[in-house]
Amino acid sequence: MAPSIQTFSDTDRRLVAGWAAACAERVLWVYEAERAEDDRPSAAIARAKAYARGELDTAAEIRRRFGGGSAAHDVSPAAAAAARSAGQASAVGHMGAHALGAAAYAVKAAGLASPEQPGAADDEIIWQIQQMTAEMRAVLRTLPAVGEDRSGPLGPGLLASGQMKRIIQQLQARLAAPDSTLVVG
C-alpha cells in the first residue's frame, strides 16, 4: 500500500510542524484562560516544536499524536478549538496534512474568542500565511483539496465538513495564489 499524499516525507513533516506549532501557540491563551492548570495543549505544542527541530522520533510521535486534543472536553467552543489546534500540531509527526488542521482550528479559536471583531478569523489566516516560508507553501500546496482524498485528515471527518472545511478551503485558496500575492500589508 502506497503512503498517502497527505503524509509527506519526514523532512517535509518537520518543516511544517514548526508552522503548525506556531499557529496553535498563537491561540493557546484561549485555552489557558479557562484551564490554566491543564498543560496538555502546551505540552502538545512543545512536542510539535521539538519534532520540527529533529529532537523527537517520528515513530514515537505517531504513537503520541493528538495528545492536546483530549483537553477539548468540558470547555467553551473557543477553548476546545485551541486545544484541538494543539492536538493537530502534535499529530504532524504522523501525517503532514495535520498542519492545516492545526491552522484551521487556530482560526476557529481566534474567531470564537473575539466575537466583537468580525475580521478576527480572516486576520488569523493572513498571519498564518505570512509566517510560511516559500518552501512550506510549496509542501502544503501538494496536499489534495479538503474532502478529495480519503487517505488522511483532509478526508471525510471533522476537517472536511462545516466551518473547518470552509477555513481549510480558504487556507488552500491562499496557498494556491502566487507567492508574490501572499503578503498582505
Side-chain angles (χ1 to χ4, degrees), residues 28-42 75 79:
L28 181 60
W29 68 270
V30 177
Y31 185 82
E32 290 179 337
E34 289 186 35
R35 296 285 169 88
E37 73 287 350
D38 186 348
D39 70 348
R40 289 177 292 176
S42 62
V75 293

Side-chain angles (χ1 to χ4, degrees), residues 12 21 41 56 91 100 117 119 132 163 165:
D12 288 346
L56 295 178
L100 287 183
Q117 297 175 358
M132 289 182 191
Q163 182 183 15
K165 181 178 183 177

Side-chain angles (χ1 to χ4, degrees), residues 6 42 58 66 73 75 84 101-102 110 119-120 126 138 142 152 163 167-168 180:
Q6 296 184 49
S42 62
T58 300
F66 298 116
H73 302 289
V75 293
R84 287 187 177 104
I126 291 167
T142 68
Q163 182 183 15
I167 293 169
I168 292 174
S180 62

Side-chain angles (χ1 to χ4, degrees), residues 87-98:
Q88 290 282 317
S90 74
V92 172
H94 165 249
M95 192 167 274
H98 285 293

